[in-house]
Amino acid sequence: VQLQASGGGSVQAGGSLRLSCTASGQTVYSYNFGWFRQAPQKGREFVAAIDWSGGSTHYADSVKGRFTISRDGTFNTVSLQMNSLKPEDTAVYYCAAREPMSGGAATGESEYEHWGQGTQVTVSS
């Protein structure tokens, strides 16, 4: 499975961005997906996750109420809508896919087998 993340950019605090993660290489209908981020000089942290059906989602407390994870009707693209962005949201954002046999949507970095290349999000005050 290859993952391509896009949609990053620079915005002012309070603005919005929408990240997309497109999967290719094989059918990912039953895969679970997550978004993680890594700020400068910090470890990678969980942001949001969604199960294969789109019916179960999880969010980090720091983004709850501001970010929304979703997947489209083809189940090949997962999006992260980010509203009310803050400077502390500045990071490289990574999408990840978890194989169906591994379980449902997860919040741990080690629970995902496939990773995209990351897209930079910069929020200025």
Side-chain angles (χ1 to χ4, degrees), residues 14 18 25 28 42 58 72 97 109-110 112 114 118 120-121 123-124:
R18 186 177 182 88
V28 294
K42 291 189 177 180
H58 305 278
D72 71 357
E109 181 180 352
S110 63
Y112 289 84
H114 309 282
Q120 176 71 47
V121 171
V123 185
S124 58

Side-chain angles (χ1 to χ4, degrees), residues 62-108:
S62 59
V63 307
K64 204 169 292 184
R66 300 187 298 122
F67 290 11
T68 303
I69 188 171
S70 62
R71 56 192 308 173
D72 71 357
T74 69
F75 290 86
N76 285 340
T77 300
V78 177
S79 298
L80 185 68
Q81 178 65 42
M82 306 186 296
N83 299 328
S84 302
L85 283 162
K86 304 175 181 179
E88 50 263 44
D89 294 319
T90 295
V92 177
Y93 283 71
Y94 298 89
C95 65
R98 188 180 195 211
E99 296 186 357
M101 295 301 292
S102 298
T107 61

Side-chain angles (χ1 to χ4, degrees), residues 6-61:
S6 61
S10 298
V11 296
Q12 290 191 326
S16 299
L17 282 174
R18 186 177 182 88
L19 305 183
S20 293
C21 175
T22 301
S24 62
Q26 64 186 72
T27 301
V28 294
Y29 174 84
S30 57
Y31 279 56
N32 304 285
F33 286 83
W35 285 96
F36 292 76
R37 67 186 181 186
Q38 186 167 17
Q41 300 180 333
K42 291 189 177 180
R44 193 148 53 182
E45 65 174 3
F46 169 75
V47 177
I50 189 167
D51 77 343
W52 69 273
S53 71
S56 177
T57 57
H58 305 278
Y59 295 94
D61 288 342

